[in-house]
Amino acid sequence: MINRILIRIKVLQMVYACYQNGGTDIKVAENELMLSLRRSYDLYYYFLLLIVEVTRLQERLLETRKSKYRPSEEELSPNMRLVENRFARQVQDNETLQKYIRDHGISWVNDSDFVKQILEQILKSDVYRSYLRHPRDTYETDREFWRRVFRQLICGNEALEDALEDISIYWNDDVDIIESFIIKTIKRFDESAGSRQELLPMYKDDEDREFGVLLFRQAMLHGDEYRERIDRHLKNWESERVANMDLVIMQVAIAEIMYFPKIPVNVTLNEYIDAARYYSTPKSGTFINGILESIVQELKNENSLLKH
């Protein structure tokens, strides 16, 4: 589930932090990198648990209203469709989710006000009104409701991003990517799988599991060499005038180009150019593209570029 886009972002952040701190023990930094990636996977489970907590809160509120001294007819016979949502119940019973919650202490208990805020937003939404009017009361309808909630109400929700930032400093740049995986997970759910519905694994395979540490290690161990190569291609630029993040992006990109022969050069270039546009200056993407293309040609001329 933690794809290489997110891994590259985490590596860039760690390399940048090492230079900002004036040098860090590589092994310590590698451990911090792996912790950061683990926290990204935690976020995946926080989002799944949010479905459960919103449903539980609605159930408690409806029960409380029924217990009032003089409840209204509506309070005595409320619409239970959200509470009885089959998909939400399946998520709640998921064995993998429950085990992860126990093992890693995942909880919204300290953020109950935010869970209430999300519930209120859902209840006031067109998504919810459409759900209540839907003529088919089926598992598929229940699942589609939560998919629409994530797409329209949770993705891009600034209040959610603020709440998550308070829980973990590691999630600043993870939210959009992890939200896309939650939507993918919702679509994969099948009623027949019951509590054993498979969730997305932390990594697709062993290569992805090892990719981040290897990339970080190569970028740091050969950092001086890469910086010298970059300097030769800056032409009329002085390295001191180039944004620090631009230098870090090029340094990590060169490490990937040189030490991961299975990854096509154009894939690497596109990924780091996109990162430059997001993490550096508006003109960084074009600037970095030009420098890296020049370096790639130099590596080819030296027969130093080993690609399958």
Side-chain angles (χ1 to χ4, degrees):
M1 186 219 71
I2 296 180
N3 62 12
R4 293 199 176 187
I5 295 173
L6 184 55
I7 294 171
R8 289 182 179 100
I9 290 171
K10 296 293 186 181
V11 171
L12 287 172
Q13 292 171 340
M14 190 56 60
V15 173
Y16 183 82
C18 287
Y19 279 97
Q20 290 296 103
N21 296 334
T24 302
D25 181 271
I26 289 182
K27 190 60 182 176
V28 171
E30 286 177 1
N31 292 336
E32 183 70 12
L33 173 64
M34 297 309 293
L35 175 61
S36 178
L37 290 168
R38 165 59 67 181
R39 290 290 182 263
S40 296
Y41 195 47
D42 286 351
L43 180 56
Y44 175 70
Y45 283 91
Y46 266 94
F47 275 128
L48 289 173
L49 185 57
L50 184 59
I51 296 172
V52 176
E53 293 301 329
V54 166
T55 304
R56 285 174 175 168
L57 177 58
Q58 174 69 344
E59 186 172 19
R60 290 196 300 271
L61 291 174
L62 294 182
E63 287 300 319
T64 299
R65 290 167 189 164
K66 283 183 182 180
S67 303
K68 288 170 58 176
Y69 174 62
R70 298 182 65 179
S72 66
E73 193 66 35
E74 182 180 352
E75 289 170 332
L76 285 172
S77 302
N79 191 308
M80 299 291 288
R81 196 159 185 184
L82 178 58
V83 170
E84 295 172 352
N85 184 284
R86 300 167 185 84
F87 168 75
R89 293 297 182 183
Q90 186 182 11
V91 173
Q92 177 179 310
D93 295 339
N94 185 270
E95 294 175 8
T96 303
L97 173 63
Q98 291 303 322
K99 184 178 187 305
Y100 198 93
I101 289 171
R102 290 194 303 271
D103 292 349
H104 299 276
I106 303 299
S107 173
W108 285 97
V109 67
N110 294 323
D111 299 274
S112 55
D113 287 344
F114 173 72
V115 175
K116 182 179 180 182
Q117 182 180 339
I118 289 293
L119 174 60
E120 290 173 350
Q121 189 173 355
I122 290 172
L123 296 178
K124 293 176 182 177
S125 70
D126 291 336
V127 173
Y128 180 64
R129 283 189 286 272
S130 175
Y131 174 56
L132 295 185
R133 292 195 301 266
H134 200 287
R136 298 182 64 202
D137 183 10
T138 64
Y139 172 85
E140 288 72 22
T141 305
D142 289 349
R143 183 183 59 199
E144 176 61 16
F145 164 72
W146 274 105
R147 190 186 72 84
R148 291 186 64 197
V149 166
F150 266 88
R151 286 182 64 88
Q152 298 182 35
L153 304 178
I154 293 180
C155 292
N157 187 313
E158 292 184 5
L160 172 63
E161 293 177 7
D162 290 342
L164 292 174
E165 187 175 339
D166 290 339
I167 297 173
S168 176
I169 60 173
Y170 291 97
W171 292 340
N172 292 344
D173 300 299
D174 300 358
V175 176
D176 290 347
I177 294 174
I178 303 301
E179 283 173 344
S180 71
F181 283 113
I182 288 294
I183 292 171
K184 180 179 179 180
T185 297
I186 292 173
K187 292 172 67 176
R188 284 164 49 107
F189 258 67
D190 189 309
E191 186 175 20
S192 65
S195 63
R196 297 189 176 184
Q197 170 70 48
E198 289 186 0
L199 303 180
L200 297 179
M202 184 169 175
Y203 296 100
K204 182 184 69 174
D205 52 33
D206 289 341
E207 282 192 12
D208 275 11
R209 184 185 302 276
E210 297 168 359
F211 175 69
V213 169
L214 292 175
L215 178 61
F216 172 76
R217 191 177 298 162
Q218 294 300 332
M220 293 301 297
L221 291 177
H222 300 278
D224 291 343
E225 172 192 334
Y226 298 157
R227 293 279 177 123
E228 289 176 7
R229 191 179 289 272
I230 291 166
D231 282 346
R232 292 202 301 269
H233 291 265
L234 289 178
K235 296 179 181 178
N236 297 327
W237 291 80
E238 295 178 8
S239 59
E240 291 80 8
R241 296 176 55 200
V242 178
N244 286 335
M245 181 52 83
D246 287 359
L247 292 172
V248 167
I249 289 170
M250 289 187 283
Q251 178 177 337
V252 177
I254 295 170
E256 183 171 318
I257 288 167
M258 294 190 69
Y259 285 93
F260 293 88
K262 292 182 180 179
I263 304 176
V265 170
N266 66 308
V267 171
T268 298
L269 293 180
N270 288 337
E271 292 293 344
Y272 289 98
I273 291 165
D274 284 346
R277 290 171 180 150
Y278 187 80
Y279 289 101
S280 198
T281 69
K283 296 181 179 180
S284 289
T286 302
F287 169 68
I288 287 175
N289 182 48
I291 299 296
L292 289 178
E293 284 187 345
S294 179
I295 290 173
V296 167
Q297 187 57 53
E298 180 180 72
L299 292 171
K300 288 178 178 178
N301 295 339
E302 296 172 357
N303 293 320
S304 301
L305 189 61
L306 304 176
K307 292 289 181 179
H308 292 330

